[in-house]
Amino acid sequence: MSTVITVKGKIPFMTQQKNLSPGKYYDSVAPVYDQLFLDPLSQAENKIVENDLNRLIRRMPARGILRVLDLGCGTGLGLELLQNVARRRRVELEYHGVDISGEMIRIAKAQHATNGIFFYEAGMENLPEEVTGLKFDLIISLFGSFSHAEQGDSLIKHFVEDMITETGTIYLMTYSRYSVKNWFAFLKDGDFDHLSSEQQYNIRNCGASVSCKAFFYSPGKMKKILKQVSCSCRLRFRSINALFELPLLKKIIRKLGFLGSLRLLKAERSLLRFIPRFGHSFITIITK
């Protein structure tokens, strides 16, 4: 028998077990997923990521069409951010979104059906043929999606060597192994599992007891992976939101609204530039 779980905002969805596979987990939250991230903190984070993408695309050589692969695209947030940037930069966008959740892809197709936009139900380790034969100017994976990939090391190597153009860029957002949030949980519980590279994870604002496995990354881990890549690449690290993932501070920042949240996150981010491992969202930027 299914269990009804109440999400913040009293939005019910159904699940049958606590620790789901990533595909089943995101299938279960797909009907309410977009509503979970309407709070000012989440919207401020979206704006920071949009600004990052804008800077990356601005630095790319001018070309008529910008081809992008979005890994773990969900219901299409990455597409929306990229469309904002494409309008600003006056470039044509060819977008390919991949997600392991069939429900997420169904919603994405319903919301974003238009020319030059393609969605595929597939895992990152088993990309569809329509994608594997292409070279991309930009490969992105936003807000922890890549942390659910079982073979992250080999995938990054494959993307760098085989799937981005000679001037291509990869922008990966993963969960940070040594985030302030994880250190706080460790100090509170005295449990080293909170600092493990593999943990059960529950997405923001989802007050449910369900979770799925996620892999947590660090700058040292990413440097080790890139050492295995045959071509030379530039590697940069950024992060978003260290302190405001703590329960009390999260409540405070949300009361400030979107602009207040954005200002605080930007100020904090200037410090996280020197210690990116402490942010909740750990960003790796790889450029050929």
Side-chain angles (χ1 to χ4, degrees):
M1 182 175 178
S2 296
T3 302
V4 177
I5 294 176
T6 302
V7 184
K8 185 175 181 180
K10 301 187 183 303
I11 307 167
F13 62 96
M14 307 297 288
T15 187
Q16 293 182 331
Q17 47 187 314
K18 290 185 177 181
N19 301 327
L20 304 174
S21 68
K24 290 182 178 179
Y25 176 79
Y26 285 100
D27 276 346
S28 73
V29 301
V32 298
Y33 186 79
D34 291 337
Q35 298 171 63
L36 295 175
F37 299 96
L38 297 177
D39 61 281
L41 178 59
S42 297
Q43 294 300 307
E45 289 179 339
N46 292 349
K47 188 62 179 178
I48 288 174
V49 172
E50 181 182 318
N51 290 341
D52 280 357
L53 297 176
N54 181 54
R55 283 190 289 271
L56 291 177
I57 293 171
R58 183 180 62 196
R59 293 169 183 167
M60 290 180 178
R63 46 171 55 94
I65 297 177
L66 179 73
R67 180 179 287 161
V68 181
L69 174 62
D70 185 356
L71 301 164
C73 63
T75 59
L77 171 62
L79 172 60
E80 293 173 10
L81 301 182
L82 285 163
Q83 286 175 326
N84 293 340
V85 174
R87 283 192 291 269
R88 203 177 310 163
R89 301 257 68 88
R90 296 181 180 179
V91 297
E92 184 177 345
L93 180 65
E94 180 186 315
Y95 172 91
H96 299 260
V98 175
D99 201 284
I100 198 170
S101 166
E103 284 300 303
M104 289 285 195
I105 290 297
R106 182 186 63 79
I107 295 170
K109 287 181 175 179
Q111 293 179 344
H112 303 288
T114 186
N115 292 334
I117 307 300
F118 308 94
F119 289 102
Y120 314 92
E121 180 185 348
M124 298 182 197
E125 293 90 348
N126 298 289
L127 295 174
E129 293 182 359
E130 295 92 332
V131 168
T132 54
L134 300 176
K135 293 275 190 179
F136 293 89
D137 303 300
L138 179 63
I139 295 177
I140 66 173
S141 187
L142 304 183
F143 295 107
S145 294
F146 193 78
S147 280
H148 299 297
E150 291 278 351
Q151 303 169 23
D153 297 32
S154 58
L155 281 175
I156 291 173
K157 186 174 185 291
H158 173 55
F159 297 150
V160 173
E161 294 178 343
D162 303 319
M163 295 194 68
I164 58 173
T165 64
E166 290 299 321
T167 56
T169 297
I170 298 174
Y171 182 94
L172 300 178
M173 295 180 71
T174 56
Y175 304 130
S176 177
R177 181 176 180 180
Y178 301 112
S179 67
V180 169
K181 178 182 179 180
N182 284 354
W183 276 110
F184 177 80
F186 163 68
L187 293 172
K188 180 182 176 183
D189 301 336
D191 188 347
F192 277 100
D193 285 347
H194 292 302
L195 299 175
S196 173
S197 61
E198 183 179 326
Q199 303 177 37
Q200 289 293 314
Y201 190 79
N202 187 314
I203 60 175
R204 175 184 291 167
N205 298 334
C206 182
S209 59
V210 290
S211 61
C212 69
K213 182 169 67 174
F215 297 92
F216 288 65
Y217 288 79
S218 66
K221 170 70 171 177
M222 285 298 185
K223 288 178 182 178
K224 184 178 180 180
I225 293 173
L226 263 294
K227 283 183 179 179
Q228 305 171 22
V229 174
S230 61
C231 54
S232 59
C233 295
R234 182 187 178 192
L235 184 63
R236 289 172 286 161
F237 301 121
R238 299 287 186 271
S239 62
I240 302 174
N241 190 5
L243 296 175
F244 302 106
E245 274 300 308
L246 301 180
L248 178 60
L249 293 178
K250 185 184 290 187
K251 290 180 180 179
I252 292 173
I253 193 173
R254 283 175 171 169
K255 293 180 180 179
L256 299 177
F258 168 71
L259 290 178
S261 298
L262 183 59
R263 291 190 189 101
L264 278 180
L265 285 181
K266 283 184 174 180
E268 181 193 54
R269 198 182 197 211
S270 65
L271 298 176
L272 288 174
R273 187 182 187 94
F274 303 101
I275 44 174
R277 62 175 55 83
F278 289 156
H280 174 62
S281 292
F282 173 57
I283 301 169
T284 302
I285 303 172
I286 306 167
T287 306
K288 272 193 174 181

